[in-house]
Amino acid sequence: EHSGFETFMLKEIHEQPRILRALLEKHVSSEGQVLLPDGLSSDYFRKLNRIMIVSCGTAYHAGMYGKLLMENLTGIAVETDLASEFRYRDPKIDPGTLVIAVSQSGETADTLASIRMAKDWGCRIFSICNVEGSSVVRESDAVFLTECGPEIGVASTKAYTAQQMAFALLTLSIASARGNLSPAELKVYLDDLRDVPDAVHYVIRQKELIQKIGEKHHDGPSSLYLGRRFNYPTALEGALKNKEISYQHAEGYAAGEMKHGPIALINESLPVVCICTQTADEVYEKMLSNIKEVEARNGRIIAVASEGDSELAKLSDDVIYVPAVRDEFSPMVNVAALQLLAYYAARARGTDIDKPRNLAKSVTVE
Ligand code: F6R
């Protein structure tokens, strides 16, 4: 049933490298151009000045990642919101705004309601979706299909990394259409993006080590996940996975916010998962000082670090080393480690991983 894996979730985690590779192959031409989805032209993107991304849950975390990438590389102002909030606020959106909906199922009630509202305001709707023929796809002007195949595990894994890849590809195509990336720069970014599938595969091959760490820390009442910038959404997603399948309370936080409250939680029994791979990014040093603050309060540090970063091993109780990839693309690699960490914590707690209590695969009512 799960093709030799003990659960659908574990099978779907393992499918990620292949799915990411296939998306790269499909959306990059042999001349090294990133193809735009049908219905969206270079000309349209040259004139665009605002994007609004709406989604829920894991897809919202993908949207947060997409926002960071797009605003960084395309020069377009990008906002993101939870669909359930967006639909009840007054976002002052005009027909010149592109609304991007992100949804695995394409049937999430709040996401659908949001795009219907945006359509009434005259906006164009672009969706990143996994289910062809779903309501979100049918109601969009243009679509990027994540083509992961059916995601059966209730906790989303492969759809998430595919949504991130969709944002990476879309960002590169918009940035080159707008002249923000020269052909030579685009080539460098694409070469770096092509490192991602193998890096994810490498993380998955370390599952026995991650299992030991998950088992070691599974029994506490709570855990904290910290990240910054591109990996702030990764921290939120890692915590969400943990909550969903292990029923252990977990909180994702922007590491810079720690001093503004959550630092009060830290003691010797609190596992603090620190995502600290962005060695070329200015936030790396900031992450390190946040980790030192946790260490000084005897928190149990589990670091996700880049291969070769021995500094972090000295500070941490446990380290999951991941291959170094370009900072902008590291969230796809890092989240694989957090999916497995949550998975093995849940397994140690004996929960029903594929069908966690109280959750539905697709939330078709508000
Ligand atoms: C988390 C999870 C949910 C969904 C959310 C949106 O693992 O599966 O948070 O991401 O319900 O669903 P879609 O993407 O189908 O709109």
Side-chain angles (χ1 to χ4, degrees), residues 27-84:
H27 294 274
V28 182
S29 74
S30 47
E31 295 83 42
Q33 292 299 315
V34 189
L35 308 167
L36 282 172
D38 287 345
L40 295 173
S41 65
S42 300
D43 199 41
Y44 171 72
F45 280 117
R46 273 193 286 272
K47 293 179 195 136
L48 189 68
N49 53 32
R50 191 169 174 209
I51 294 178
M52 179 76 223
I53 307 172
V54 289
S55 42
C56 302
T58 288
Y60 172 63
H61 300 152
M64 289 177 73
Y65 170 67
K67 169 205 153 73
L68 290 163
L69 263 188
M70 283 183 171
E71 69 183 8
N72 191 231
L73 286 171
T74 68
I76 300 173
V78 189
E79 266 186 274
T80 182
D81 203 358
L82 295 160
S84 56

Short mmCIF file of all heavy atoms in Angstrom, two decimals, residues 27-84:
data_model
loop_
_atom_site.label_atom_id
_atom_site.label_comp_id
_atom_site.label_asym_id
_atom_site.label_seq_id
_atom_site.Cartn_x
_atom_site.Cartn_y
_atom_site.Cartn_z
N HIS A 27 10.28 22.71 -16.17
CA HIS A 27 10.08 24.16 -16.27
C HIS A 27 11.30 24.94 -16.75
O HIS A 27 11.23 26.15 -16.89
CB HIS A 27 9.56 24.70 -14.93
CG HIS A 27 8.19 24.18 -14.61
ND1 HIS A 27 7.05 24.78 -15.07
CD2 HIS A 27 7.79 23.08 -13.94
CE1 HIS A 27 5.99 24.08 -14.67
NE2 HIS A 27 6.42 23.04 -13.97
N VAL A 28 12.41 24.25 -16.96
CA VAL A 28 13.58 24.94 -17.49
C VAL A 28 13.84 24.40 -18.90
O VAL A 28 13.94 23.19 -19.09
CB VAL A 28 14.82 24.73 -16.60
CG1 VAL A 28 16.01 25.52 -17.14
CG2 VAL A 28 14.53 25.15 -15.15
N SER A 29 13.92 25.30 -19.87
CA SER A 29 14.10 24.86 -21.25
C SER A 29 15.55 24.43 -21.49
O SER A 29 16.43 24.71 -20.67
CB SER A 29 13.77 26.02 -22.20
OG SER A 29 14.83 26.96 -22.16
N SER A 30 15.78 23.79 -22.62
CA SER A 30 17.15 23.33 -22.90
C SER A 30 18.10 24.53 -23.09
O SER A 30 19.31 24.41 -22.92
CB SER A 30 17.17 22.41 -24.12
OG SER A 30 16.42 23.02 -25.14
N GLU A 31 17.54 25.70 -23.39
CA GLU A 31 18.39 26.90 -23.51
C GLU A 31 18.62 27.57 -22.16
O GLU A 31 19.22 28.64 -22.09
CB GLU A 31 17.76 27.95 -24.45
CG GLU A 31 17.64 27.54 -25.91
CD GLU A 31 16.41 26.70 -26.18
OE1 GLU A 31 15.33 27.03 -25.62
OE2 GLU A 31 16.51 25.71 -26.92
N GLY A 32 18.08 26.97 -21.08
CA GLY A 32 18.31 27.55 -19.77
C GLY A 32 17.36 28.69 -19.43
O GLY A 32 17.65 29.51 -18.56
N GLN A 33 16.20 28.74 -20.09
CA GLN A 33 15.18 29.74 -19.73
C GLN A 33 14.18 29.09 -18.78
O GLN A 33 13.82 27.93 -18.97
CB GLN A 33 14.40 30.16 -20.98
CG GLN A 33 15.22 30.95 -21.99
CD GLN A 33 15.74 32.24 -21.40
OE1 GLN A 33 15.02 32.96 -20.73
NE2 GLN A 33 17.02 32.51 -21.62
N VAL A 34 13.73 29.84 -17.78
CA VAL A 34 12.67 29.30 -16.93
C VAL A 34 11.34 29.68 -17.56
O VAL A 34 11.06 30.86 -17.79
CB VAL A 34 12.76 29.84 -15.49
CG1 VAL A 34 11.78 29.09 -14.60
CG2 VAL A 34 14.17 29.70 -14.94
N LEU A 35 10.56 28.69 -17.89
CA LEU A 35 9.32 28.94 -18.64
C LEU A 35 8.24 29.49 -17.72
O LEU A 35 8.08 29.04 -16.59
CB LEU A 35 8.86 27.62 -19.29
CG LEU A 35 9.95 26.92 -20.11
CD1 LEU A 35 9.56 25.49 -20.46
CD2 LEU A 35 10.25 27.73 -21.37
N LEU A 36 7.51 30.45 -18.23
CA LEU A 36 6.39 31.00 -17.46
C LEU A 36 5.16 30.13 -17.67
O LEU A 36 4.99 29.56 -18.74
CB LEU A 36 6.07 32.42 -17.95
CG LEU A 36 6.98 33.53 -17.49
CD1 LEU A 36 6.65 34.82 -18.21
CD2 LEU A 36 6.86 33.73 -15.98
N PRO A 37 4.30 30.03 -16.66
CA PRO A 37 3.07 29.26 -16.84
C PRO A 37 2.21 29.88 -17.94
O PRO A 37 2.23 31.11 -18.13
CB PRO A 37 2.37 29.38 -15.49
CG PRO A 37 3.40 29.88 -14.54
CD PRO A 37 4.43 30.61 -15.33
N ASP A 38 1.46 29.05 -18.66
CA ASP A 38 0.54 29.56 -19.69
C ASP A 38 -0.38 30.60 -19.08
O ASP A 38 -0.88 30.41 -17.96
CB ASP A 38 -0.34 28.43 -20.24
CG ASP A 38 0.46 27.50 -21.13
OD1 ASP A 38 1.58 27.89 -21.53
OD2 ASP A 38 -0.02 26.38 -21.38
N GLY A 39 -0.61 31.66 -19.81
CA GLY A 39 -1.54 32.68 -19.30
C GLY A 39 -0.81 33.85 -18.64
O GLY A 39 -1.43 34.84 -18.30
N LEU A 40 0.50 33.71 -18.42
CA LEU A 40 1.26 34.81 -17.83
C LEU A 40 2.44 35.13 -18.74
O LEU A 40 3.21 34.24 -19.08
CB LEU A 40 1.78 34.43 -16.44
CG LEU A 40 0.71 34.19 -15.36
CD1 LEU A 40 1.36 33.66 -14.09
CD2 LEU A 40 -0.06 35.46 -15.05
N SER A 41 2.56 36.38 -19.16
CA SER A 41 3.62 36.71 -20.12
C SER A 41 4.70 37.55 -19.46
O SER A 41 4.49 38.16 -18.41
CB SER A 41 3.01 37.51 -21.27
OG SER A 41 2.54 38.74 -20.76
N SER A 42 5.85 37.59 -20.10
CA SER A 42 6.95 38.44 -19.61
C SER A 42 6.49 39.88 -19.55
O SER A 42 6.81 40.62 -18.61
CB SER A 42 8.14 38.38 -20.56
OG SER A 42 8.60 37.08 -20.66
N ASP A 43 5.73 40.28 -20.57
CA ASP A 43 5.25 41.64 -20.63
C ASP A 43 4.39 41.99 -19.41
O ASP A 43 4.52 43.06 -18.81
CB ASP A 43 4.44 41.78 -21.93
CG ASP A 43 4.29 43.22 -22.31
OD1 ASP A 43 5.31 43.95 -22.16
OD2 ASP A 43 3.18 43.63 -22.68
N TYR A 44 3.53 41.05 -19.03
CA TYR A 44 2.68 41.25 -17.86
C TYR A 44 3.54 41.46 -16.61
O TYR A 44 3.32 42.39 -15.82
CB TYR A 44 1.76 40.03 -17.69
CG TYR A 44 0.98 40.03 -16.40
CD1 TYR A 44 -0.09 40.91 -16.21
CD2 TYR A 44 1.31 39.16 -15.36
CE1 TYR A 44 -0.80 40.92 -15.01
CE2 TYR A 44 0.60 39.17 -14.17
CZ TYR A 44 -0.45 40.06 -14.00
OH TYR A 44 -1.14 40.06 -12.82
N PHE A 45 4.55 40.62 -16.46
CA PHE A 45 5.39 40.74 -15.26
C PHE A 45 6.26 41.99 -15.27
O PHE A 45 6.60 42.51 -14.21
CB PHE A 45 6.25 39.48 -15.08
CG PHE A 45 5.47 38.35 -14.46
CD1 PHE A 45 5.25 37.17 -15.14
CD2 PHE A 45 4.93 38.50 -13.19
CE1 PHE A 45 4.52 36.15 -14.56
CE2 PHE A 45 4.19 37.47 -12.60
CZ PHE A 45 3.98 36.30 -13.29
N ARG A 46 6.62 42.47 -16.46
CA ARG A 46 7.41 43.70 -16.51
C ARG A 46 6.64 44.88 -15.92
O ARG A 46 7.20 45.78 -15.35
CB ARG A 46 7.86 44.00 -17.95
CG ARG A 46 9.18 43.28 -18.28
CD ARG A 46 9.80 43.80 -19.56
NE ARG A 46 9.06 43.34 -20.73
CZ ARG A 46 9.31 42.19 -21.36
NH1 ARG A 46 10.28 41.40 -20.95
NH2 ARG A 46 8.59 41.82 -22.40
N LYS A 47 5.30 44.82 -16.07
CA LYS A 47 4.49 45.96 -15.61
C LYS A 47 3.93 45.78 -14.20
O LYS A 47 3.43 46.72 -13.59
CB LYS A 47 3.33 46.18 -16.58
CG LYS A 47 3.81 46.66 -17.93
CD LYS A 47 2.65 46.85 -18.89
CE LYS A 47 3.14 46.96 -20.33
NZ LYS A 47 2.34 46.18 -21.26
N LEU A 48 3.99 44.57 -13.70
CA LEU A 48 3.35 44.26 -12.42
C LEU A 48 4.08 44.94 -11.26
O LEU A 48 5.31 44.95 -11.21
CB LEU A 48 3.38 42.74 -12.22
CG LEU A 48 2.58 42.18 -11.05
CD1 LEU A 48 1.09 42.36 -11.31
CD2 LEU A 48 2.90 40.70 -10.84
N ASN A 49 3.30 45.50 -10.31
CA ASN A 49 4.03 46.05 -9.17
C ASN A 49 3.54 45.56 -7.81
O ASN A 49 4.08 45.95 -6.78
CB ASN A 49 4.08 47.58 -9.21
CG ASN A 49 2.70 48.15 -9.37
OD1 ASN A 49 1.74 47.56 -8.87
ND2 ASN A 49 2.58 49.25 -10.08
N ARG A 50 2.56 44.66 -7.80
CA ARG A 50 2.13 44.14 -6.49
C ARG A 50 1.61 42.70 -6.62
O ARG A 50 0.86 42.39 -7.53
CB ARG A 50 1.05 45.03 -5.90
CG ARG A 50 0.76 44.72 -4.46
CD ARG A 50 -0.13 45.79 -3.83
NE ARG A 50 -0.51 45.39 -2.48
CZ ARG A 50 -1.63 45.75 -1.89
NH1 ARG A 50 -2.49 46.55 -2.50
NH2 ARG A 50 -1.91 45.34 -0.66
N ILE A 51 2.03 41.88 -5.66
CA ILE A 51 1.55 40.49 -5.60
C ILE A 51 1.02 40.23 -4.19
O ILE A 51 1.60 40.67 -3.20
CB ILE A 51 2.70 39.49 -5.91
CG1 ILE A 51 3.17 39.63 -7.37
CG2 ILE A 51 2.27 38.04 -5.64
CD1 ILE A 51 4.34 38.73 -7.76
N MET A 52 -0.08 39.51 -4.12
CA MET A 52 -0.66 39.13 -2.82
C MET A 52 -0.79 37.60 -2.83
O MET A 52 -1.43 37.04 -3.72
CB MET A 52 -2.05 39.79 -2.74
CG MET A 52 -2.81 39.50 -1.49
SD MET A 52 -2.16 40.46 -0.10
CE MET A 52 -2.18 39.16 1.15
N ILE A 53 -0.18 36.95 -1.86
CA ILE A 53 -0.23 35.48 -1.80
C ILE A 53 -1.18 35.07 -0.68
O ILE A 53 -1.05 35.55 0.45
CB ILE A 53 1.17 34.89 -1.52
CG1 ILE A 53 2.21 35.42 -2.52
CG2 ILE A 53 1.13 33.37 -1.55
CD1 ILE A 53 3.65 35.03 -2.19
N VAL A 54 -2.12 34.18 -0.97
CA VAL A 54 -3.05 33.71 0.07
C VAL A 54 -3.07 32.19 0.13
O VAL A 54 -3.06 31.52 -0.89
CB VAL A 54 -4.50 34.23 -0.14
CG1 VAL A 54 -4.60 35.71 0.14
CG2 VAL A 54 -5.02 33.91 -1.53
N SER A 55 -3.12 31.66 1.34
CA SER A 55 -3.12 30.21 1.53
C SER A 55 -3.30 29.88 3.00
O SER A 55 -3.40 30.79 3.84
CB SER A 55 -1.81 29.62 1.00
OG SER A 55 -0.69 30.41 1.35
N CYS A 56 -3.36 28.60 3.33
CA CYS A 56 -3.59 28.15 4.71
C CYS A 56 -2.54 27.10 5.11
O CYS A 56 -2.08 26.33 4.27
CB CYS A 56 -4.95 27.45 4.84
SG CYS A 56 -6.34 28.47 4.34
N GLY A 57 -2.27 27.03 6.39
CA GLY A 57 -1.46 25.94 6.94
C GLY A 57 -0.09 25.86 6.30
O GLY A 57 0.64 26.86 6.17
N THR A 58 0.28 24.67 5.90
CA THR A 58 1.58 24.45 5.27
C THR A 58 1.72 25.29 4.01
O THR A 58 2.78 25.85 3.73
CB THR A 58 1.72 22.94 4.96
OG1 THR A 58 1.92 22.28 6.21
CG2 THR A 58 2.88 22.65 4.04
N ALA A 59 0.64 25.40 3.24
CA ALA A 59 0.70 26.20 2.01
C ALA A 59 0.95 27.67 2.34
O ALA A 59 1.56 28.40 1.54
CB ALA A 59 -0.60 26.03 1.22
N TYR A 60 0.53 28.12 3.52
CA TYR A 60 0.82 29.49 3.95
C TYR A 60 2.32 29.65 4.19
O TYR A 60 2.92 30.68 3.84
CB TYR A 60 0.01 29.83 5.21
CG TYR A 60 0.39 31.16 5.82
CD1 TYR A 60 0.21 32.34 5.13
CD2 TYR A 60 0.94 31.22 7.10
CE1 TYR A 60 0.58 33.56 5.68
CE2 TYR A 60 1.31 32.43 7.67
CZ TYR A 60 1.12 33.60 6.96
OH TYR A 60 1.49 34.80 7.50
N HIS A 61 2.93 28.64 4.78
CA HIS A 61 4.39 28.71 4.99
C HIS A 61 5.12 28.77 3.65
O HIS A 61 6.12 29.48 3.50
CB HIS A 61 4.87 27.53 5.83
CG HIS A 61 4.23 27.49 7.19
ND1 HIS A 61 4.03 26.33 7.89
CD2 HIS A 61 3.72 28.50 7.94
CE1 HIS A 61 3.43 26.63 9.04
NE2 HIS A 61 3.22 27.93 9.09
N ALA A 62 4.61 28.02 2.66
CA ALA A 62 5.21 28.11 1.32
C ALA A 62 5.04 29.53 0.78
O ALA A 62 5.95 30.09 0.15
CB ALA A 62 4.56 27.09 0.38
N GLY A 63 3.89 30.13 1.05
CA GLY A 63 3.64 31.50 0.60
C GLY A 63 4.59 32.49 1.26
O GLY A 63 5.08 33.44 0.62
N MET A 64 4.88 32.27 2.55
CA MET A 64 5.84 33.16 3.23
C MET A 64 7.21 33.07 2.58
O MET A 64 7.91 34.07 2.41
CB MET A 64 5.97 32.76 4.71
CG MET A 64 4.76 33.07 5.55
SD MET A 64 5.01 32.46 7.25
CE MET A 64 6.20 33.65 7.86
N TYR A 65 7.58 31.84 2.25
CA TYR A 65 8.87 31.63 1.58
C TYR A 65 8.86 32.32 0.21
O TYR A 65 9.80 33.03 -0.16
CB TYR A 65 9.12 30.12 1.43
CG TYR A 65 10.30 29.78 0.55
CD1 TYR A 65 11.60 30.09 0.94
CD2 TYR A 65 10.12 29.16 -0.69
CE1 TYR A 65 12.68 29.79 0.11
CE2 TYR A 65 11.19 28.85 -1.51
CZ TYR A 65 12.47 29.17 -1.10
OH TYR A 65 13.53 28.88 -1.92
N GLY A 66 7.77 32.14 -0.51
CA GLY A 66 7.64 32.74 -1.84
C GLY A 66 7.75 34.26 -1.78
O GLY A 66 8.39 34.89 -2.61
N LYS A 67 7.13 34.84 -0.78
CA LYS A 67 7.19 36.30 -0.61
C LYS A 67 8.64 36.76 -0.44
O LYS A 67 9.09 37.70 -1.09
CB LYS A 67 6.36 36.72 0.61
CG LYS A 67 6.56 38.16 1.04
CD LYS A 67 6.23 38.35 2.51
CE LYS A 67 7.00 39.51 3.10
NZ LYS A 67 6.54 40.82 2.69
N LEU A 68 9.37 36.07 0.43
CA LEU A 68 10.76 36.47 0.70
C LEU A 68 11.61 36.38 -0.55
O LEU A 68 12.42 37.27 -0.84
CB LEU A 68 11.35 35.58 1.80
CG LEU A 68 10.77 35.82 3.20
CD1 LEU A 68 11.08 34.65 4.13
CD2 LEU A 68 11.33 37.12 3.77
N LEU A 69 11.44 35.31 -1.29
CA LEU A 69 12.22 35.13 -2.52
C LEU A 69 11.87 36.19 -3.56
O LEU A 69 12.73 36.82 -4.15
CB LEU A 69 11.87 33.78 -3.15
CG LEU A 69 12.75 32.58 -2.91
CD1 LEU A 69 12.30 31.45 -3.82
CD2 LEU A 69 14.22 32.90 -3.13
N MET A 70 10.55 36.35 -3.78
CA MET A 70 10.10 37.25 -4.84
C MET A 70 10.46 38.69 -4.56
O MET A 70 10.91 39.41 -5.46
CB MET A 70 8.59 37.16 -5.00
CG MET A 70 8.17 35.93 -5.72
SD MET A 70 6.39 36.03 -5.91
CE MET A 70 6.15 34.67 -6.97
N GLU A 71 10.27 39.14 -3.34
CA GLU A 71 10.55 40.55 -3.08
C GLU A 71 12.05 40.80 -3.16
O GLU A 71 12.50 41.88 -3.52
CB GLU A 71 9.95 41.03 -1.75
CG GLU A 71 10.60 40.46 -0.54
CD GLU A 71 9.94 40.90 0.76
OE1 GLU A 71 8.87 41.53 0.74
OE2 GLU A 71 10.51 40.58 1.81
N ASN A 72 12.82 39.75 -2.85
CA ASN A 72 14.27 39.88 -2.88
C ASN A 72 14.81 39.95 -4.31
O ASN A 72 15.75 40.68 -4.59
CB ASN A 72 14.84 38.65 -2.15
CG ASN A 72 16.32 38.76 -1.87
OD1 ASN A 72 17.08 37.88 -2.18
ND2 ASN A 72 16.72 39.87 -1.28
N LEU A 73 14.22 39.20 -5.21
CA LEU A 73 14.80 39.07 -6.55
C LEU A 73 14.05 39.77 -7.67
O LEU A 73 14.59 39.97 -8.74
CB LEU A 73 14.96 37.59 -6.91
CG LEU A 73 16.09 36.85 -6.18
CD1 LEU A 73 16.01 35.36 -6.43
CD2 LEU A 73 17.44 37.38 -6.65
N THR A 74 12.77 40.11 -7.45
CA THR A 74 12.01 40.63 -8.60
C THR A 74 11.75 42.14 -8.52
O THR A 74 11.34 42.74 -9.51
CB THR A 74 10.62 39.96 -8.73
OG1 THR A 74 9.81 40.38 -7.63
CG2 THR A 74 10.72 38.46 -8.77
N GLY A 75 11.92 42.72 -7.34
CA GLY A 75 11.62 44.14 -7.20
C GLY A 75 10.13 44.43 -7.09
O GLY A 75 9.73 45.59 -7.04
N ILE A 76 9.31 43.40 -7.05
CA ILE A 76 7.86 43.60 -6.91
C ILE A 76 7.52 43.58 -5.41
O ILE A 76 8.11 42.80 -4.65
CB ILE A 76 7.08 42.47 -7.63
CG1 ILE A 76 7.43 42.44 -9.12
CG2 ILE A 76 5.57 42.60 -7.43
CD1 ILE A 76 6.84 41.26 -9.89
N ALA A 77 6.57 44.42 -4.99
CA ALA A 77 6.14 44.38 -3.59
C ALA A 77 5.24 43.15 -3.41
O ALA A 77 4.26 42.98 -4.12
CB ALA A 77 5.37 45.65 -3.25
N VAL A 78 5.60 42.29 -2.49
CA VAL A 78 4.84 41.05 -2.29
C VAL A 78 4.37 40.97 -0.85
O VAL A 78 5.14 41.20 0.08
CB VAL A 78 5.70 39.80 -2.60
CG1 VAL A 78 4.83 38.54 -2.61
CG2 VAL A 78 6.44 39.94 -3.93
N GLU A 79 3.10 40.65 -0.69
CA GLU A 79 2.54 40.45 0.65
C GLU A 79 2.01 39.05 0.74
O GLU A 79 1.65 38.45 -0.28
CB GLU A 79 1.32 41.35 0.80
CG GLU A 79 1.56 42.68 1.43
CD GLU A 79 0.21 43.35 1.63
OE1 GLU A 79 -0.24 44.00 0.67
OE2 GLU A 79 -0.38 43.18 2.70
N THR A 80 1.87 38.54 1.94
CA THR A 80 1.25 37.24 2.07
C THR A 80 0.30 37.26 3.26
O THR A 80 0.50 38.02 4.20
CB THR A 80 2.32 36.13 2.22
OG1 THR A 80 1.68 34.88 2.29
CG2 THR A 80 3.18 36.32 3.44
N ASP A 81 -0.74 36.48 3.18
CA ASP A 81 -1.67 36.41 4.30
C ASP A 81 -2.33 35.04 4.34
O ASP A 81 -2.39 34.32 3.35
CB ASP A 81 -2.75 37.50 4.18
CG ASP A 81 -3.38 37.86 5.53
OD1 ASP A 81 -3.01 37.24 6.56
OD2 ASP A 81 -4.25 38.74 5.56
N LEU A 82 -2.83 34.73 5.53
CA LEU A 82 -3.65 33.54 5.70
C LEU A 82 -4.97 33.81 5.01
O LEU A 82 -5.56 34.88 5.19
CB LEU A 82 -3.90 33.31 7.19
CG LEU A 82 -2.65 32.98 8.02
CD1 LEU A 82 -2.91 33.25 9.49
CD2 LEU A 82 -2.25 31.53 7.78
N ALA A 83 -5.44 32.84 4.25
CA ALA A 83 -6.69 33.05 3.52
C ALA A 83 -7.84 33.37 4.47
O ALA A 83 -8.71 34.19 4.17
CB ALA A 83 -7.01 31.80 2.68
N SER A 84 -7.83 32.76 5.65
CA SER A 84 -8.93 32.98 6.60
C SER A 84 -8.91 34.39 7.20
O SER A 84 -9.92 34.86 7.72
CB SER A 84 -8.85 31.94 7.73
OG SER A 84 -7.58 32.00 8.35
#
